[in-house]
Amino acid sequence: MSVDDASELEFRNKLAIATQQIDNDRKWGNALVEAIHAADDYCDLERNRGKYAYPGARPPYTTDKLTFDFISKEREVINKYVSAKGNVDIPIRAMQYP
């Protein structure tokens, strides 16, 4: 399979247009930032599990050693991430491959 200059130029033009469209799509960009923040919140919560453990609990901090506050926050950040990820996935599924 060979690639000629015309097909390379066409590909570069389509890529430039698609890049500009993504850059101009503020709604998608905001959804992507929201998903990244939600994932970061979840990771931060998981890194600090010990902070939510019952007094005297020893690692590993399984659910039975954690307060309801942790479980509630964990559920909240998971729901936030799932929702934000869905808002990012919808436009990705709608894209047409050249």
Side-chain angles (χ1 to χ4, degrees):
M1 181 177 213
S2 65
V3 177
D4 59 7
D5 290 337
S7 63
E8 176 70 19
L9 182 60
E10 181 183 357
F11 172 77
R12 287 181 182 270
N13 285 337
K14 285 183 178 183
L15 182 60
I17 291 168
T19 301
Q20 187 64 40
Q21 288 173 338
I22 289 171
D23 191 42
N24 290 338
D25 189 347
R26 300 274 187 245
K27 184 177 177 184
W28 188 81
N30 290 340
L32 183 60
V33 169
E34 186 180 328
I36 291 168
H37 284 290
D40 185 53
D41 290 346
Y42 177 76
C43 291
D44 187 49
L45 187 64
E46 288 299 316
R47 278 191 297 269
N48 294 306
R49 276 179 158 241
K51 179 178 155 186
Y52 296 94
Y54 288 114
R58 294 178 179 231
Y61 298 113
T62 54
T63 306
D64 60 327
K65 297 178 183 176
L66 298 168
T67 63
F68 179 75
D69 188 40
F70 174 85
I71 295 166
S72 176
K73 285 182 185 213
E74 183 181 46
R75 190 173 298 138
E76 180 183 320
V77 294
I78 288 171
N79 289 339
K80 183 178 168 186
Y81 174 73
V82 168
S83 175
K85 184 179 180 303
N87 292 336
V88 171
D89 285 344
I90 291 169
I92 290 173
R93 279 189 242 124
M95 282 188 211
Q96 297 289 327
Y97 290 95

Coordinates of all heavy atoms in Angstrom, one line a residue:
M1 N 0.9 -1.2 0.0 CA 0.0 0.0 0.0 C 0.9 1.2 0.0 O 1.8 1.3 0.8 CB -0.9 0.0 1.2 CG -1.8 1.1 1.3 SD -2.9 0.9 2.8 CE -4.3 1.6 2.2
S2 N 0.6 2.1 -0.9 CA 1.5 3.3 -1.0 C 0.6 4.5 -0.6 O -0.6 4.6 -0.9 CB 2.1 3.4 -2.4 OG 1.1 3.6 -3.3
V3 N 1.3 5.5 -0.1 CA 0.6 6.8 0.2 C 1.2 7.9 -0.7 O 2.4 8.0 -0.7 CB 0.9 7.2 1.7 CG1 0.3 8.5 2.0 CG2 0.4 6.1 2.6
D4 N 0.4 8.5 -1.4 CA 0.9 9.6 -2.3 C 0.7 11.0 -1.6 O 0.1 11.1 -0.5 CB 0.2 9.6 -3.6 CG -1.3 9.8 -3.5 OD1 -1.8 10.0 -2.4 OD2 -2.0 9.7 -4.5
D5 N 1.3 12.0 -2.2 CA 1.3 13.3 -1.6 C -0.1 13.9 -1.4 O -0.5 14.5 -0.4 CB 2.1 14.3 -2.4 CG 3.6 14.0 -2.3 OD1 4.0 13.3 -1.3 OD2 4.4 14.4 -3.2
A6 N -1.0 13.6 -2.4 CA -2.4 14.1 -2.3 C -3.2 13.5 -1.1 O -3.9 14.2 -0.4 CB -3.1 13.8 -3.6
S7 N -3.0 12.2 -0.9 CA -3.7 11.6 0.3 C -3.1 12.1 1.6 O -3.9 12.2 2.6 CB -3.7 10.1 0.2 OG -2.4 9.6 0.3
E8 N -1.8 12.3 1.6 CA -1.2 12.8 2.8 C -1.7 14.2 3.1 O -2.0 14.5 4.3 CB 0.3 12.8 2.7 CG 1.1 13.4 3.8 CD 1.1 12.6 5.1 OE1 0.8 11.4 5.1 OE2 1.3 13.2 6.2
L9 N -1.8 15.0 2.1 CA -2.3 16.4 2.3 C -3.7 16.4 2.7 O -4.1 17.2 3.6 CB -2.1 17.2 1.0 CG -2.5 18.6 1.0 CD1 -1.7 19.4 2.0 CD2 -2.3 19.2 -0.4
E10 N -4.5 15.5 2.1 CA -5.9 15.4 2.5 C -6.1 15.0 4.0 O -6.9 15.6 4.7 CB -6.7 14.4 1.6 CG -8.2 14.3 1.9 CD -8.9 13.2 1.1 OE1 -8.2 12.6 0.2 OE2 -10.1 13.0 1.3
F11 N -5.3 14.0 4.4 CA -5.3 13.6 5.8 C -4.9 14.7 6.7 O -5.6 15.0 7.7 CB -4.4 12.4 6.0 CG -4.2 12.0 7.4 CD1 -5.2 11.3 8.1 CD2 -3.1 12.4 8.2 CE1 -5.1 11.0 9.5 CE2 -2.9 12.1 9.5 CZ -3.9 11.4 10.1
R12 N -3.9 15.5 6.4 CA -3.4 16.6 7.2 C -4.5 17.7 7.3 O -4.7 18.3 8.4 CB -2.1 17.1 6.7 CG -0.9 16.2 7.0 CD 0.4 16.8 6.5 NE 1.5 16.0 6.7 CZ 2.2 16.0 7.8 NH1 2.0 16.8 8.7 NH2 3.2 15.1 7.9
N13 N -5.2 17.9 6.2 CA -6.2 18.9 6.2 C -7.4 18.5 7.1 O -7.9 19.3 7.9 CB -6.7 19.2 4.8 CG -5.8 20.0 4.0 OD1 -4.9 20.8 4.5 ND2 -5.9 19.9 2.7
K14 N -7.8 17.2 7.0 CA -8.9 16.7 7.8 C -8.5 16.7 9.3 O -9.3 17.1 10.2 CB -9.3 15.3 7.4 CG -10.1 15.3 6.1 CD -10.5 13.9 5.8 CE -11.3 13.8 4.5 NZ -11.8 12.5 4.2
L15 N -7.3 16.4 9.6 CA -6.8 16.4 11.0 C -6.8 17.8 11.5 O -7.2 18.0 12.7 CB -5.4 15.8 11.0 CG -4.8 15.7 12.4 CD1 -5.6 14.8 13.3 CD2 -3.4 15.2 12.4
A16 N -6.4 18.8 10.7 CA -6.3 20.2 11.2 C -7.8 20.7 11.5 O -8.0 21.4 12.5 CB -5.7 21.0 10.1
I17 N -8.7 20.3 10.6 CA -10.1 20.8 10.8 C -10.7 20.1 12.0 O -11.3 20.8 12.8 CB -10.9 20.4 9.5 CG1 -10.5 21.3 8.4 CG2 -12.4 20.6 9.8 CD1 -11.1 20.9 7.0
A18 N -10.4 18.8 12.2 CA -10.9 18.1 13.4 C -10.3 18.7 14.7 O -11.0 18.8 15.7 CB -10.7 16.6 13.3
T19 N -9.0 19.0 14.6 CA -8.4 19.5 15.8 C -9.0 20.9 16.2 O -9.3 21.2 17.3 CB -6.9 19.7 15.6 OG1 -6.3 18.4 15.2 CG2 -6.2 20.3 16.8
Q20 N -9.3 21.7 15.2 CA -9.9 23.0 15.4 C -11.3 22.8 15.9 O -11.7 23.6 16.9 CB -9.9 23.8 14.1 CG -10.4 25.2 14.3 CD -9.5 26.0 15.2 OE1 -8.3 25.9 15.1 NE2 -10.0 26.8 16.1
Q21 N -12.1 21.9 15.4 CA -13.4 21.6 15.9 C -13.4 21.2 17.4 O -14.3 21.7 18.2 CB -14.2 20.6 15.1 CG -14.5 21.1 13.7 CD -15.1 20.0 12.8 OE1 -14.8 18.8 13.0 NE2 -15.8 20.4 11.8
I22 N -12.5 20.3 17.7 CA -12.4 19.9 19.1 C -12.0 21.1 20.0 O -12.6 21.2 21.1 CB -11.4 18.7 19.3 CG1 -12.0 17.5 18.6 CG2 -11.0 18.5 20.7 CD1 -11.0 16.3 18.5
D23 N -11.1 21.9 19.5 CA -10.6 23.0 20.3 C -11.8 24.0 20.5 O -11.9 24.6 21.6 CB -9.5 23.7 19.6 CG -8.8 24.7 20.4 OD1 -8.6 24.5 21.7 OD2 -8.5 25.8 19.9
N24 N -12.6 24.2 19.5 CA -13.7 25.1 19.6 C -14.9 24.6 20.4 O -15.8 25.3 20.8 CB -14.2 25.5 18.2 CG -13.2 26.4 17.5 OD1 -12.4 27.0 18.1 ND2 -13.3 26.4 16.2
D25 N -15.0 23.3 20.6 CA -16.1 22.7 21.4 C -15.9 22.8 22.9 O -15.4 22.0 23.5 CB -16.2 21.2 21.0 CG -17.5 20.6 21.5 OD1 -18.2 21.2 22.3 OD2 -17.8 19.5 21.0
R26 N -16.4 23.9 23.4 CA -16.2 24.2 24.8 C -17.0 23.2 25.7 O -16.5 22.9 26.8 CB -16.7 25.7 25.1 CG -15.9 26.7 24.4 CD -14.7 27.1 25.1 NE -14.0 28.2 24.4 CZ -12.9 28.2 23.9 NH1 -12.2 27.0 23.9 NH2 -12.3 29.2 23.3
K27 N -18.1 22.8 25.3 CA -18.9 21.9 26.1 C -18.2 20.6 26.3 O -18.1 20.1 27.4 CB -20.3 21.6 25.4 CG -21.2 20.8 26.1 CD -22.5 20.6 25.4 CE -23.5 19.7 26.2 NZ -24.7 19.4 25.5
W28 N -17.6 20.1 25.2 CA -16.9 18.8 25.3 C -15.6 19.0 26.1 O -15.3 18.2 27.0 CB -16.5 18.3 23.9 CG -15.9 16.9 24.0 CD1 -16.6 15.7 24.1 CD2 -14.5 16.6 24.0 NE1 -15.7 14.7 24.1 CE2 -14.4 15.2 24.0 CE3 -13.3 17.3 23.9 CZ2 -13.2 14.5 24.0 CZ3 -12.1 16.6 23.9 CH2 -12.1 15.3 24.0
G29 N -14.9 20.1 25.9 CA -13.7 20.4 26.7 C -14.0 20.5 28.2 O -13.3 20.0 29.1
N30 N -15.1 21.2 28.5 CA -15.5 21.3 29.9 C -15.9 19.9 30.5 O -15.6 19.6 31.7 CB -16.7 22.3 30.1 CG -16.3 23.7 29.8 OD1 -15.1 24.0 29.9 ND2 -17.3 24.5 29.5
A31 N -16.6 19.1 29.7 CA -16.9 17.8 30.2 C -15.7 16.9 30.4 O -15.6 16.2 31.4 CB -17.8 17.1 29.1
L32 N -14.7 17.1 29.6 CA -13.4 16.4 29.7 C -12.7 16.8 31.0 O -12.2 16.0 31.8 CB -12.5 16.6 28.5 CG -11.2 15.9 28.5 CD1 -11.4 14.4 28.6 CD2 -10.3 16.3 27.3
V33 N -12.7 18.1 31.3 CA -12.1 18.6 32.5 C -12.8 18.1 33.7 O -12.2 17.7 34.7 CB -12.0 20.2 32.5 CG1 -11.7 20.7 33.9 CG2 -11.0 20.6 31.4
E34 N -14.1 18.1 33.6 CA -15.0 17.6 34.7 C -14.7 16.1 35.0 O -14.6 15.7 36.2 CB -16.5 17.8 34.4 CG -17.4 17.4 35.5 CD -18.9 17.6 35.1 OE1 -19.1 18.6 34.3 OE2 -19.7 16.9 35.6
A35 N -14.5 15.3 34.0 CA -14.2 13.9 34.2 C -12.8 13.7 34.8 O -12.7 12.9 35.7 CB -14.3 13.2 32.8
I36 N -11.9 14.5 34.4 CA -10.5 14.4 35.0 C -10.6 14.8 36.5 O -10.0 14.1 37.3 CB -9.5 15.3 34.2 CG1 -9.3 14.7 32.8 CG2 -8.2 15.4 34.9 CD1 -8.6 15.6 31.8
H37 N -11.3 15.8 36.8 CA -11.4 16.2 38.2 C -12.1 15.2 39.0 O -11.7 14.9 40.2 CB -12.1 17.6 38.3 CG -11.3 18.8 38.0 ND1 -10.2 19.2 38.7 CD2 -11.3 19.6 36.9 CE1 -9.7 20.2 38.1 NE2 -10.3 20.5 37.0
A38 N -13.2 14.6 38.5 CA -13.9 13.5 39.2 C -13.0 12.3 39.4 O -13.0 11.7 40.5 CB -15.1 13.1 38.4
A39 N -12.2 11.9 38.4 CA -11.3 10.8 38.6 C -10.2 11.2 39.7 O -9.9 10.3 40.5 CB -10.6 10.5 37.3
D40 N -9.7 12.4 39.7 CA -8.8 12.8 40.6 C -9.4 12.8 42.0 O -8.7 12.4 43.0 CB -8.3 14.2 40.3 CG -7.2 14.7 41.2 OD1 -6.2 14.0 41.4 OD2 -7.3 15.8 41.8
D41 N -10.6 13.3 42.2 CA -11.3 13.2 43.5 C -11.4 11.8 44.0 O -11.2 11.5 45.2 CB -12.7 13.8 43.4 CG -12.7 15.3 43.2 OD1 -11.6 16.0 43.4 OD2 -13.7 15.9 42.8
Y42 N -11.7 10.9 43.1 CA -11.8 9.5 43.5 C -10.5 8.9 44.0 O -10.4 8.3 45.0 CB -12.4 8.6 42.4 CG -12.4 7.1 42.7 CD1 -13.4 6.7 43.6 CD2 -11.5 6.3 42.3 CE1 -13.5 5.3 43.9 CE2 -11.5 4.9 42.6 CZ -12.5 4.5 43.5 OH -12.6 3.1 43.8
C43 N -9.4 9.2 43.2 CA -8.1 8.7 43.5 C -7.6 9.3 44.9 O -7.0 8.6 45.7 CB -7.1 9.1 42.4 SG -7.4 8.1 40.9
D44 N -7.9 10.6 45.1 CA -7.6 11.3 46.3 C -8.3 10.6 47.5 O -7.7 10.4 48.6 CB -7.9 12.7 46.3 CG -7.4 13.5 47.4 OD1 -6.2 13.4 47.8 OD2 -8.2 14.3 48.0
L45 N -9.5 10.3 47.3 CA -10.3 9.7 48.4 C -9.7 8.3 48.7 O -9.6 7.9 49.9 CB -11.8 9.5 48.0 CG -12.8 9.0 49.0 CD1 -12.9 10.0 50.2 CD2 -14.1 8.8 48.4
E46 N -9.4 7.5 47.7 CA -8.8 6.2 47.9 C -7.5 6.2 48.6 O -7.1 5.4 49.4 CB -8.7 5.4 46.6 CG -10.1 5.0 46.0 CD -10.8 4.0 47.0 OE1 -10.2 3.1 47.5 OE2 -12.0 4.2 47.2
R47 N -6.7 7.2 48.2 CA -5.3 7.4 48.8 C -5.4 7.7 50.3 O -4.6 7.4 51.1 CB -4.5 8.5 48.1 CG -3.9 8.1 46.9 CD -2.9 9.2 46.4 NE -3.5 10.4 46.1 CZ -4.0 10.7 44.9 NH1 -3.9 9.9 43.9 NH2 -4.6 11.9 44.7
N48 N -6.5 8.4 50.7 CA -6.7 8.8 52.1 C -7.7 8.0 52.9 O -8.4 8.5 53.8 CB -7.1 10.3 52.1 CG -6.0 11.1 51.6 OD1 -4.9 11.1 52.1 ND2 -6.3 11.9 50.6
R49 N -7.8 6.7 52.5 CA -8.8 5.8 53.2 C -8.6 5.8 54.7 O -9.6 5.8 55.5 CB -8.7 4.4 52.7 CG -9.4 4.1 51.4 CD -9.3 2.7 51.0 NE -10.4 2.4 50.1 CZ -11.3 1.4 50.4 NH1 -11.1 0.6 51.4 NH2 -12.3 1.2 49.6
G50 N -7.4 5.8 55.2 CA -7.0 5.7 56.6 C -7.6 6.9 57.4 O -8.0 6.7 58.6
K51 N -7.8 8.0 56.7 CA -8.4 9.2 57.4 C -9.8 8.9 57.8 O -10.3 9.5 58.8 CB -8.3 10.4 56.4 CG -8.8 11.7 56.9 CD -8.6 12.7 55.8 CE -9.6 13.8 55.9 NZ -9.5 14.8 54.8
Y52 N -10.5 8.1 57.1 CA -11.9 7.8 57.3 C -12.2 6.5 58.1 O -13.3 6.1 58.3 CB -12.7 7.7 56.0 CG -12.7 9.0 55.2 CD1 -11.7 9.3 54.3 CD2 -13.6 10.0 55.5 CE1 -11.7 10.5 53.6 CE2 -13.6 11.2 54.8 CZ -12.7 11.4 53.9 OH -12.7 12.6 53.2
A53 N -11.1 5.9 58.5 CA -11.2 4.6 59.3 C -11.7 4.9 60.7 O -11.5 5.9 61.3 CB -9.9 3.9 59.3
Y54 N -12.3 3.9 61.3 CA -12.7 3.9 62.7 C -11.5 4.0 63.5 O -10.4 3.5 63.1 CB -13.6 2.7 63.1 CG -14.9 2.7 62.5 CD1 -15.3 1.7 61.6 CD2 -15.9 3.6 62.9 CE1 -16.6 1.7 61.1 CE2 -17.2 3.6 62.4 CZ -17.5 2.7 61.5 OH -18.8 2.6 60.9
P55 N -11.5 4.7 64.7 CA -10.4 4.8 65.5 C -9.9 3.4 65.9 O -10.7 2.5 66.2 CB -10.9 5.5 66.8 CG -12.1 6.3 66.3 CD -12.7 5.5 65.2
G56 N -8.6 3.2 65.8 CA -8.0 1.9 66.2 C -8.0 0.9 65.0 O -7.4 -0.2 65.2
A57 N -8.6 1.2 63.9 CA -8.6 0.2 62.8 C -7.2 0.2 62.1 O -6.5 1.2 62.1 CB -9.6 0.7 61.7
R58 N -6.9 -1.0 61.7 CA -5.6 -1.2 61.1 C -5.7 -1.5 59.6 O -6.7 -2.1 59.2 CB -4.8 -2.3 61.8 CG -4.5 -2.0 63.2 CD -3.8 -3.2 63.8 NE -3.4 -2.8 65.2 CZ -2.2 -3.0 65.7 NH1 -1.2 -3.5 64.9 NH2 -2.0 -2.7 66.9
P59 N -4.7 -1.2 58.8 CA -4.8 -1.5 57.4 C -4.9 -3.0 57.2 O -4.4 -3.7 58.0 CB -3.5 -0.9 56.8 CG -3.0 0.1 57.8 CD -3.6 -0.4 59.1
P60 N -5.4 -3.5 56.1 CA -6.0 -2.8 55.0 C -7.4 -2.3 55.4 O -8.1 -2.9 56.2 CB -6.2 -3.8 53.9 CG -6.3 -5.1 54.6 CD -5.4 -5.0 55.9
Y61 N -7.7 -1.1 55.0 CA -9.0 -0.4 55.3 C -10.1 -0.9 54.4 O -10.4 -0.3 53.4 CB -8.8 1.1 55.3 CG -7.8 1.6 56.2 CD1 -6.6 2.2 55.8 CD2 -8.0 1.5 57.6 CE1 -5.6 2.6 56.7 CE2 -7.0 1.9 58.5 CZ -5.9 2.5 58.0 OH -4.9 2.9 58.9
T62 N -10.7 -2.0 54.8 CA -11.8 -2.6 54.1 C -13.1 -1.8 54.5 O -13.1 -1.1 55.5 CB -12.0 -4.1 54.4 OG1 -12.0 -4.3 55.8 CG2 -10.8 -4.9 53.8
T63 N -14.2 -2.0 53.8 CA -15.4 -1.3 54.0 C -15.9 -1.4 55.5 O -16.4 -0.4 56.0 CB -16.5 -1.9 53.1 OG1 -16.0 -1.8 51.7 CG2 -17.8 -1.0 53.2
D64 N -15.7 -2.5 56.1 CA -16.2 -2.7 57.5 C -15.3 -1.9 58.5 O -15.8 -1.7 59.6 CB -16.2 -4.2 57.9 CG -14.8 -4.8 57.8 OD1 -14.0 -4.4 57.0 OD2 -14.5 -5.7 58.7
K65 N -14.2 -1.3 58.1 CA -13.4 -0.5 58.9 C -13.5 1.0 58.7 O -12.9 1.8 59.3 CB -11.9 -0.9 58.8 CG -11.6 -2.3 59.2 CD -10.1 -2.6 59.0 CE -9.8 -4.0 59.3 NZ -8.4 -4.4 59.0
L66 N -14.4 1.3 57.7 CA -14.5 2.7 57.3 C -15.9 3.3 57.7 O -16.9 2.6 57.8 CB -14.4 2.8 55.8 CG -13.1 2.4 55.2 CD1 -13.1 2.3 53.7 CD2 -12.0 3.4 55.6
T67 N -15.9 4.6 58.0 CA -17.1 5.2 58.4 C -18.1 5.4 57.3 O -17.7 5.3 56.1 CB -16.8 6.6 59.0 OG1 -16.3 7.4 58.0 CG2 -15.8 6.5 60.2
F68 N -19.3 5.7 57.7 CA -20.4 5.9 56.6 C -20.0 7.1 55.8 O -20.4 7.2 54.6 CB -21.7 6.1 57.3 CG -22.8 6.3 56.3 CD1 -23.3 5.3 55.5 CD2 -23.4 7.6 56.2 CE1 -24.3 5.5 54.6 CE2 -24.4 7.9 55.2 CZ -24.8 6.8 54.4
D69 N -19.3 8.1 56.4 CA -18.9 9.3 55.7 C -18.1 9.0 54.5 O -18.2 9.5 53.4 CB -18.1 10.2 56.7 CG -17.9 11.6 56.1 OD1 -18.8 12.1 55.4 OD2 -16.7 12.1 56.3
F70 N -17.1 8.0 54.7 CA -16.3 7.6 53.5 C -17.1 6.9 52.5 O -17.0 7.2 51.3 CB -15.2 6.6 54.0 CG -14.4 6.1 52.8 CD1 -13.4 6.8 52.3 CD2 -14.8 4.9 52.2 CE1 -12.6 6.3 51.2 CE2 -14.1 4.4 51.2 CZ -13.0 5.1 50.7
I71 N -18.0 6.0 52.9 CA -18.8 5.3 51.9 C -19.7 6.3 51.1 O -19.9 6.1 49.9 CB -19.6 4.2 52.6 CG1 -18.7 3.1 53.2 CG2 -20.6 3.5 51.7 CD1 -19.3 2.2 54.2
S72 N -20.3 7.2 51.8 CA -21.1 8.2 51.2 C -20.3 9.1 50.2 O -20.7 9.3 49.0 CB -21.7 9.1 52.2 OG -22.5 10.1 51.7
K73 N -19.1 9.5 50.6 CA -18.3 10.3 49.7 C -17.8 9.5 48.5 O -17.7 10.0 47.4 CB -17.0 10.9 50.4 CG -17.4 12.0 51.3 CD -16.1 12.5 52.0 CE -16.6 13.6 53.0 NZ -15.6 14.7 53.2
E74 N -17.5 8.2 48.7 CA -17.0 7.3 47.7 C -18.1 7.2 46.6 O -17.9 7.3 45.4 CB -16.6 6.0 48.2 CG -16.1 5.0 47.2 CD -15.7 3.7 47.7 OE1 -16.5 3.1 48.5 OE2 -14.6 3.2 47.4
R75 N -19.3 6.9 47.1 CA -20.5 6.8 46.2 C -20.7 8.1 45.4 O -21.0 8.1 44.2 CB -21.7 6.5 47.0 CG -22.9 6.1 46.2 CD -24.1 5.6 47.0 NE -23.7 4.4 47.7 CZ -24.0 4.1 49.0 NH1 -24.7 5.0 49.7 NH2 -23.6 3.0 49.6
E76 N -20.6 9.2 46.1 CA -20.8 10.5 45.4 C -19.7 10.7 44.3 O -20.1 11.2 43.2 CB -20.6 11.6 46.4 CG -20.8 13.0 45.9 CD -20.6 14.1 47.0 OE1 -21.0 13.8 48.1 OE2 -20.0 15.1 46.7
V77 N -18.4 10.5 44.6 CA -17.4 10.7 43.6 C -17.5 9.7 42.4 O -17.2 10.0 41.3 CB -16.0 10.8 44.1 CG1 -15.8 12.0 45.0 CG2 -15.6 9.5 44.8
I78 N -17.9 8.5 42.7 CA -18.1 7.5 41.7 C -19.2 7.9 40.7 O -19.1 7.9 39.5 CB -18.4 6.1 42.2 CG1 -17.1 5.5 42.8 CG2 -18.9 5.1 41.2 CD1 -17.3 4.2 43.6
N79 N -20.3 8.4 41.3 CA -21.5 8.8 40.5 C -21.1 10.0 39.6 O -21.5 10.2 38.5 CB -22.7 9.2 41.3 CG -23.3 7.9 41.9 OD1 -23.2 6.8 41.4 ND2 -24.1 8.1 43.0
K80 N -20.3 10.9 40.2 CA -19.8 12.1 39.5 C -19.0 11.7 38.4 O -19.1 12.3 37.3 CB -19.1 13.0 40.5 CG -18.6 14.3 40.0 CD -17.9 15.1 41.1 CE -17.1 16.3 40.5 NZ -16.3 17.0 41.5
Y81 N -18.1 10.8 38.6 CA -17.2 10.3 37.5 C -17.9 9.6 36.4 O -17.7 9.9 35.2 CB -16.1 9.4 38.0 CG -15.3 8.8 36.9 CD1 -14.3 9.6 36.3 CD2 -15.4 7.5 36.5 CE1 -13.6 9.1 35.2 CE2 -14.7 7.0 35.5 CZ -13.8 7.8 34.8 OH -13.0 7.2 33.8
V82 N -18.9 8.7 36.7 CA -19.6 8.0 35.7 C -20.4 9.0 34.9 O -20.5 8.9 33.6 CB -20.6 7.0 36.4 CG1 -21.6 6.4 35.4 CG2 -19.7 5.8 37.0
S83 N -21.0 10.0 35.5 CA -21.8 11.0 34.8 C -20.9 11.8 33.8 O -21.2 12.0 32.7 CB -22.5 11.9 35.7 OG -23.1 12.9 35.1
A84 N -19.7 12.3 34.4 CA -18.8 13.1 33.6 C -18.2 12.2 32.4 O -18.1 12.7 31.3 CB -17.7 13.6 34.5
K85 N -17.9 11.0 32.7 CA -17.3 10.1 31.7 C -18.4 9.9 30.5 O -18.0 9.9 29.4 CB -16.9 8.8 32.3 CG -16.2 7.9 31.3 CD -15.8 6.6 32.0 CE -15.2 5.6 31.0 NZ -15.9 5.2 29.9
G86 N -19.6 9.8 30.9 CA -20.7 9.6 29.9 C -20.8 10.8 29.0 O -21.0 10.7 27.8
N87 N -20.6 12.0 29.6 CA -20.6 13.3 28.8 C -19.5 13.4 27.9 O -19.6 14.1 26.9 CB -20.7 14.5 29.7 CG -22.0 14.6 30.5 OD1 -23.0 14.1 30.1 ND2 -21.9 15.3 31.6
V88 N -18.4 12.7 28.2 CA -17.2 12.7 27.3 C -17.4 11.6 26.2 O -17.0 11.8 25.1 CB -15.9 12.5 28.1 CG1 -14.7 12.3 27.2 CG2 -15.7 13.7 29.0
D89 N -17.9 10.5 26.6 CA -18.0 9.4 25.7 C -19.0 9.6 24.5 O -18.8 9.1 23.4 CB -18.4 8.1 26.4 CG -17.3 7.5 27.2 OD1 -16.1 7.9 27.0 OD2 -17.6 6.7 28.1
I90 N -20.1 10.3 24.8 CA -21.1 10.5 23.8 C -20.5 11.2 22.5 O -20.7 10.6 21.4 CB -22.3 11.3 24.3 CG1 -23.0 10.5 25.4 CG2 -23.2 11.8 23.2 CD1 -24.1 11.2 26.2
P91 N -19.8 12.3 22.6 CA -19.2 12.9 21.4 C -18.2 12.0 20.7 O -18.0 12.0 19.5 CB -18.6 14.2 21.9 CG -19.2 14.5 23.1 CD -19.6 13.2 23.7
I92 N -17.4 11.2 21.5 CA -16.4 10.3 21.0 C -17.1 9.3 20.1 O -16.6 9.0 19.0 CB -15.6 9.7 22.1 CG1 -14.7 10.8 22.7 CG2 -14.7 8.5 21.6 CD1 -13.9 10.3 23.9
R93 N -18.2 8.7 20.6 CA -18.9 7.7 19.8 C -19.5 8.3 18.6 O -19.7 7.5 17.6 CB -20.0 7.0 20.7 CG -19.4 6.0 21.6 CD -20.6 5.2 22.3 NE -20.4 5.4 23.7 CZ -21.3 5.9 24.5 NH1 -22.5 6.2 24.1 NH2 -21.1 6.1 25.8
A94 N -19.8 9.5 18.6 CA -20.4 10.2 17.4 C -19.4 10.5 16.3 O -19.8 10.8 15.2 CB -21.2 11.4 17.9
M95 N -18.1 10.5 16.7 CA -17.1 10.9 15.7 C -17.1 9.8 14.5 O -17.3 8.7 14.7 CB -15.7 10.9 16.3 CG -15.5 12.1 17.1 SD -13.8 12.1 17.5 CE -13.8 12.9 19.1
Q96 N -16.8 10.4 13.4 CA -16.7 9.5 12.2 C -15.2 9.4 11.9 O -14.5 10.4 11.9 CB -17.4 10.1 11.0 CG -18.8 10.2 11.1 CD -19.5 8.8 11.1 OE1 -19.0 7.9 10.4 NE2 -20.6 8.7 11.8
Y97 N -14.7 8.2 11.7 CA -13.3 8.0 11.4 C -13.1 8.3 9.9 O -13.9 7.9 9.1 CB -12.8 6.6 11.7 CG -12.8 6.3 13.2 CD1 -13.8 5.8 13.9 CD2 -11.6 6.7 13.9 CE1 -13.8 5.6 15.2 CE2 -11.6 6.5 15.3 CZ -12.7 6.0 15.9 OH -12.6 5.8 17.3
P98 N -12.0 9.0 9.5 CA -11.7 9.3 8.1 C -11.4 8.1 7.3 O -10.9 7.1 7.8 CB -10.6 10.3 8.1 CG -9.9 10.2 9.5 CD -11.0 9.6 10.4

